[in-house]
Amino acid sequence: MSTSAGHRAFQEPESINRAVRRLRRVVDSDDSDDGSDLLQQAADAGAVAVRLAVGHLADADRVVRAAACDLLGSTSAVHGDDVRREAATALIALSDTETDAEVHWSIARALGATCDPRALPTLVTLARSPDSDVRFQVAAAVPMVLDDPPAEAGEAVLIDLCTDPDPTVREWATFGLGWMSTADGNAVRRALWDRTRDTHDEVRADAARGLARRRDARALPLVRELLAQDEVHRLTFQAAAYLGDPSLLPLLDGFDPTAGGVAEALLECDPVRRAERDESVWRILESIHRRRPELRITVFGERCDLGLYLDVTDGADVAAHWFADGLLMRRAGNDPERAADLAIADLDR
């Protein structure tokens, strides 16, 4: 073992021990310093940190188990696929026997960081927790483990959590269902529509955006109403952009175009500007084809996204993907010919 590796191996147990001491203060009092900075440092060790955390999951002390789960989550967030499967496997196994709500909270949060679809049944079980903090973590974690299209169980648990008595849980479930997920269908839209009448502003705004993202016709009069209010939530501008309806332009014209979401809404609701945008992307495609006719070029839009994407491939091993009317055009100074040059250069790297 190298000197640096040996030093790190020595440091990690001490990091988790110090984190446990801090976390214990959180559990026993109102202290907010949970030692996450120490766990983040320990997470840098990657597989070493995972082994250390797994070794603490059977500890008799619930605070130690919770800290070990937190370390697995932090390590998964830092090192991604290198450690996520092992971390998720350990967390799922622990959940089968764990009864403590504090540890359930940490399990749910850490499973979200693993992005492992195998975690969904565990999260569905934890969604039935009587502890609203645990249910909140489930609402935040479920979208992170869903495939595309999402599993029915994932849709169902988010729909259920949209009606949770705790407004924070409802907010995150509505956000997860409407924004983080591409789930669609009558049940999804009904759940989002019901939340447009929620008593909390954030929940209502998330629900309206979720409906608009699915181009649900019921969202148009709702967004008109929201835009006419004295205070307009930033998510309402995103909802307007997804609807792309010219009838919203008179309402949008009164807002500062530099404010978050307003410029995008103005563009998407203006058929003339949208046509100009589409023409620019078409010119990129033509320019690439003129320079490199052997390349395969596709322009497309995602069902739940705004704007147009550009895919270019040589038909073999080389491919590239851009948000054509976003980053690529900005890099090119809004010049389609220059954008074509940049796309080809990116592909040839």
Side-chain angles (χ1 to χ4, degrees), residues 14-41 63-64 67 70:
E14 179 55 27
S15 293
I16 195 171
N17 289 338
R18 290 167 61 199
V20 165
R21 289 195 291 272
R22 288 198 200 171
L23 183 57
R24 195 180 305 282
R25 290 199 297 270
V26 174
V27 173
D28 295 338
S29 68
D30 293 330
D31 195 327
S32 60
D33 184 357
D34 61 359
S36 56
D37 58 325
L38 295 171
L39 294 177
Q40 195 67 34
Q41 293 172 18
V63 177
V64 174
D70 293 341

Side-chain angles (χ1 to χ4, degrees), residues 287-289 291-292 295 312 322 339-349:
S287 296
I288 295 174
H289 180 69
R291 292 163 170 77
R292 297 281 296 276
L295 296 176
V312 182
W322 300 271
D341 289 337
L342 291 172
I344 292 171
D346 288 348
L347 189 69
D348 288 340
R349 283 179 185 169

Side-chain angles (χ1 to χ4, degrees), residues 95-96 104 119-130 134 138 157:
S95 72
D96 289 339
H104 285 161
L120 183 57
T122 297
L123 292 170
V124 169
T125 299
L126 291 176
R128 297 192 286 270
S129 170
V134 174
V138 171
V157 72

